[in-house]
Amino acid sequence: MCGIVGYIGYREAYPIVIKGLKRLEYRGYDSAGVMTYDGNTISVCKTKGKVADLEAKADKECNAGSIGIGHTRWATHGVPNDVNSHPHVSNSGNLVIIHNGIIENYAPLKEELIKRGYVFHSDTDTEVLVNLIEEIQKKENIKLGKAVQLALNQVVGAYAIAVFDTKKPDEIVAARLGSPLAIGVGEGEYFIASDASPFIEYTANAVYLEDGEVAIIKRDKPLKIRKINTDAPVDTYIQELQMNLEQIEKGGYDHFMLKEIYEQPNVIKDTYRGRLLADKGIVQMSGIEDNLEKFVNANRIIIIACGTSWHAGLVAEYIFEEFARINVEVEYASEFRYRNPIINSNDVVIAISQSGETADTMAAIKLAKAAGAFVFGVCNVVGSSISRESHAGAYTHAGPEIGVASTKAFTTQITVLTMIALRLAKAKGTLSHSDFHRYLLELELIPEKVKEALETTNAIAEEIALTFKEVSNCLYLGRGYNFPVALEGALKLKEISYIHAEGYPAAEMKHGPIALIDEHMPVIVVAPIQGHYDKIVSNIQEIKSRSGRIIAIVTKGDTEVRKLADYVIEIPETSDALSPLITTIPLQLLSYHIAVLRGCNVDQPRNLAKSVTVE
């Protein structure tokens, strides 16, 4: 989950690397480091803490260089401290490496290297890898690129790496397996990064390394890519980037998370733009149209995802089963891949991931493909690993999501999945023509209703946050389509405010959680007028009779719940199936305001990282 940046060219490397690390800090922020080389001297500076801490130190210690590599870390092997920070230097001092991922067999490799006289200063698997490369280089008397290839054939695990050798001062060697790596291609210069955001203002051209590839990156020379295992050359495919600098800046908001919450009306519209033509009764996506028969004839749909994407999958389960009348199972990708699941060739597997790089979801995709299932990816990042590994797919159009706690990815994923369900229902004839057309019209209106919800609920959410910012526990309840919204609301509060919160189906409250309810326990109830309204009113009465403090999300004009709740947040009315796109808005805002009032780092919550590329 770490972020890596590299530069080789005619500019000063240090400012490019530092700026790039700041943009990748969402991937990890336990510690950071940088190496620069000015043609004579290597400068290495690293420290525990954030990139700002590194910058304060490195401004005095690092040369500008024309070659540089940098790293922002999410700790796996070894606690976050100065020594365990990257870059790591080989025993000779000639090789320098940065690494995202995990080398699973580092322990036996380390033992063997110690026997050969190598000394280790950190607890990391990465220091083992750089010394393994050096040992192979010396033993075989070969160049850096070949030594990297041979070393990587000995390791087990996942990695994206960049390696520099003082004896090859115009070259960086990069490789990937299971962790993303992009190479920006400029005029007489190259950029290396975990995603394209560090180099977007310098070039619109990028090469995304595939798993099992190594790149030899030389100043003023064509890029060379080879297969790690076979040494076979790979044709270089340059893609044009689909993002701009404005998308990765805060745009006047205090936090990326708040900016991304407020972007939801636009990104939901962007996600269905060109795919949904409500006035013509059309919903279409090329990935579905080209494979419609597989969906129509599928025995079942299996949705695999992690975290917030899993919650979007749970919403989709209700939508697919109601609209298209097909059996749906929603699985944690991390469990699915390890429990020997039953997968058939007539199953459709939908894999959901914001980043398109989630390690457990990638592994689950490979398992499903090996069993003969058709895999359809839903992700946000063009050219990501999941988009390439899937048989077909559909992109959301959320734009870059920098805040670690996902918001706009959730609503755009639900938007894509709803369109798929509607298209499938039309093909199967499981929705009447009038219902199909009604849902298209309602989905088209969602951006305006989300905008209204943002305008009317933000101040109320902030007021409620003032009352509940010091609580220790919260309970979130919802029924039907809004049970997953309760789960997502609880996750948001946990992630950014560090308050313990749990989401439950409202009817399950009586089967245990009701024991927790007293005058100190806030209970957030998602209770729109559509759906199981009478039942959830009964659940609220049960909470009230036990002195629970009730915060209710209700449809505008509600009277029944208002009589019982301590606090009410009104939202615009829509159909039950589409309500999660709106009910989630006040929960995002409530979590945000509580976290801000508690003095938490909203965009970079402790112990978390945005793109989970390790198991």
Side-chain angles (χ1 to χ4, degrees):
M1 286 189 280
C2 311
I4 66 176
V5 179
Y7 175 76
I8 179 169
Y10 58 88
R11 306 174 198 260
E12 289 188 351
Y14 172 74
I16 293 171
V17 172
I18 287 291
K19 185 191 294 183
L21 290 178
K22 289 177 180 177
R23 291 187 183 159
L24 290 181
E25 201 164 20
Y26 70 89
R27 301 181 65 87
Y29 32 87
D30 294 333
S31 54
V34 62
M35 177 227 81
T36 55
Y37 181 71
D38 63 3
N40 297 302
T41 306
I42 279 183
S43 299
V44 176
C45 182
K46 52 188 187 174
T47 185
K48 177 184 177 181
K50 298 185 182 296
V51 175
D53 300 310
L54 170 67
E55 187 176 22
K57 186 177 179 182
D59 279 352
K60 303 171 185 176
E61 298 180 11
C62 278
N63 59 53
S66 58
I67 293 179
I69 56 176
H71 187 271
T72 180
R73 183 172 185 244
W74 187 84
T76 54
H77 293 74
V79 299
N81 60 27
D82 293 1
V83 174
N84 288 332
S85 305
H86 299 214
H88 287 283
V89 182
S90 66
N91 275 193
S92 72
N94 290 329
L95 303 189
V96 186
I97 192 172
I98 50 177
H99 169 218
N100 172 21
I102 288 179
I103 305 303
E104 295 174 5
N105 63 333
Y106 82 100
L109 293 171
K110 185 174 184 178
E111 288 180 13
E112 181 60 31
L113 288 168
I114 289 171
K115 291 177 184 177
R116 299 184 187 187
Y118 284 83
V119 176
F120 291 89
H121 306 284
S122 74
D123 301 316
T124 68
D125 52 343
T126 305
E127 192 183 8
V128 175
L129 180 56
V130 72
N131 282 302
L132 175 63
I133 295 168
E134 178 162 284
E135 172 65 11
I136 291 172
Q137 193 180 32
K138 289 193 301 185
K139 186 177 178 181
E140 302 292 337
N141 192 27
I142 52 179
K143 294 180 181 179
L144 177 63
K146 191 63 177 178
V148 169
Q149 279 184 262
L150 293 177
L152 293 179
N153 278 315
Q154 293 186 32
V155 304
V156 176
Y159 51 79
I161 62 170
V163 191
F164 173 73
D165 183 353
T166 58
K167 294 179 291 183
K168 300 282 288 183
D170 289 323
E171 175 181 299
I172 296 175
V173 176
R176 72 155 283 180
L177 179 67
S179 293
L181 200 62
I183 301 171
V185 181
E187 293 290 333
E189 61 183 347
Y190 291 98
F191 306 81
I192 306 162
S194 297
D195 68 38
S197 61
F199 55 78
I200 185 63
E201 67 257 56
Y202 302 107
T203 179
N205 298 317
V207 173
Y208 291 90
L209 288 189
E210 300 282 356
D211 274 353
E213 292 182 352
V214 60
I216 311 299
I217 306 164
K218 293 184 178 182
R219 194 194 323 257
D220 292 321
K221 296 286 181 68
L223 186 65
K224 292 184 179 179
I225 302 175
R226 308 188 79 87
K227 290 290 185 183
I228 293 170
N229 290 337
T230 65
D231 198 39
V234 176
D235 291 336
T236 302
Y237 173 58
I238 298 177
Q239 297 187 35
E240 185 175 351
L241 297 174
Q242 302 296 314
M243 70 166 71
N244 58 59
L245 189 58
E246 184 179 282
Q247 291 178 305
I248 57 175
E249 301 294 344
K250 286 182 183 176
Y253 288 89
D254 290 339
H255 299 93
F256 280 111
M257 182 180 179
L258 187 61
K259 172 178 177 273
E260 289 155 9
I261 289 171
Y262 272 86
E263 285 176 339
Q264 287 174 110
N266 289 333
V267 297
I268 290 170
K269 188 177 292 185
D270 288 343
T271 296
Y272 70 59
R273 192 190 310 276
R275 296 164 163 175
L276 175 69
L277 303 171
D279 56 336
K280 297 180 180 179
I282 294 173
V283 58
Q284 60 183 11
M285 288 175 279
S286 60
I288 297 297
E289 298 303 320
D290 294 344
N291 300 281
L292 188 59
E293 189 175 332
K294 291 185 182 295
F295 279 87
V296 169
N297 296 325
N299 181 55
R300 62 175 175 166
I301 293 174
I302 304 170
I303 297 176
I304 53 175
C306 299
T308 288
S309 296
W310 184 73
H311 296 155
L314 289 176
V315 174
E317 179 180 21
Y318 286 92
I319 295 172
F320 274 101
E321 291 192 343
E322 180 168 332
F323 288 9
R325 306 307 299 158
I326 184 170
N327 179 46
V328 178
E329 298 176 14
V330 184
E331 301 266 5
Y332 281 115
S334 53
E335 289 296 313
F336 180 79
R337 61 177 295 199
Y338 285 120
R339 66 170 181 79
N340 193 22
I342 299 170
I343 309 170
N344 298 306
S345 58
N346 60 345
D347 290 333
V348 168
V349 173
I350 299 178
I352 313 172
S353 167
Q354 188 282 138
S355 66
E357 303 292 347
T358 310
D360 287 313
T361 307
M362 274 292 293
I365 287 172
K366 292 176 181 178
L367 177 66
K369 287 176 70 176
F374 176 75
V375 177
F376 189 90
V378 174
C379 58
N380 187 41
V381 180
V382 174
S384 59
S385 297
I386 287 174
S387 68
R388 296 196 301 271
E389 187 71 29
S390 302
H391 292 113
Y395 287 112
T396 60
H397 291 284
E401 189 180 62
I402 307 300
V404 167
S406 188
T407 52
K408 61 178 180 175
F410 180 65
T411 48
T412 54
Q413 286 167 353
I414 292 173
T415 302
V416 163
L417 294 163
T418 300
M419 288 191 292
I420 296 172
L422 284 167
R423 180 66 185 93
L424 185 54
K426 182 179 182 181
K428 295 180 69 176
T430 49
L431 272 181
S432 68
H433 177 76
S434 60
D435 282 343
F436 175 77
H437 194 69
R438 174 172 60 86
Y439 280 120
L440 293 189
L441 291 171
E442 287 197 37
L443 185 55
E444 194 174 56
L445 292 173
I446 286 293
E448 284 303 313
K449 293 184 177 183
V450 170
K451 183 179 180 182
E452 181 184 342
L454 288 165
E455 291 171 349
T456 59
T457 65
N458 184 52
I460 301 168
E462 189 171 8
E463 178 185 334
I464 295 170
L466 284 166
T467 302
F468 292 102
K469 63 185 174 69
E470 299 299 338
V471 300
S472 300
N473 300 281
C474 282
L475 189 63
Y476 285 70
L477 301 177
R479 296 186 81 120
Y481 287 97
N482 283 293
F483 159 51
V485 172
L487 294 177
E488 175 62 12
L491 176 62
K492 287 285 109 31
L493 191 68
K494 282 183 279 196
E495 284 179 316
I496 62 171
S497 74
Y498 319 139
I499 294 173
H500 175 255
E502 294 297 330
Y504 274 90
E508 284 296 303
M509 178 184 62
K510 298 185 291 294
H511 298 279
I514 199 168
L516 298 171
I517 294 175
D518 60 18
E519 68 274 14
H520 304 295
M521 170 72 84
V523 183
I524 295 92
V525 185
V526 186
I529 195 70
Q530 302 285 354
H532 310 283
Y533 181 74
D534 292 341
K535 297 295 184 183
I536 207 158
V537 169
S538 297
N539 297 138
I540 292 171
Q541 289 170 332
E542 292 162 356
I543 300 165
K544 190 71 174 177
S545 67
R546 287 156 179 85
S547 302
R549 303 167 76 187
I550 301 164
I551 303 165
I553 313 301
V554 302
T555 304
K556 185 165 57 177
D558 180 281
T559 56
E560 288 297 308
V561 173
R562 184 176 289 276
K563 296 174 187 175
L564 300 169
D566 299 279
Y567 299 89
V568 168
I569 302 177
E570 289 190 336
I571 57 170
E573 183 174 0
T574 190
S575 67
D576 192 24
L578 301 183
S579 63
L581 290 164
I582 302 175
T583 54
T584 192
I585 300 301
L587 302 186
Q588 293 172 351
L589 290 168
L590 182 62
S591 297
Y592 170 79
H593 287 300
I594 288 175
V596 169
L597 290 169
R598 287 168 65 89
C600 300
N601 190 329
V602 172
D603 287 333
Q604 297 175 354
R606 68 188 182 201
N607 302 333
L608 296 177
K610 184 69 176 175
S611 180
V612 185
T613 57
V614 296
E615 296 179 31

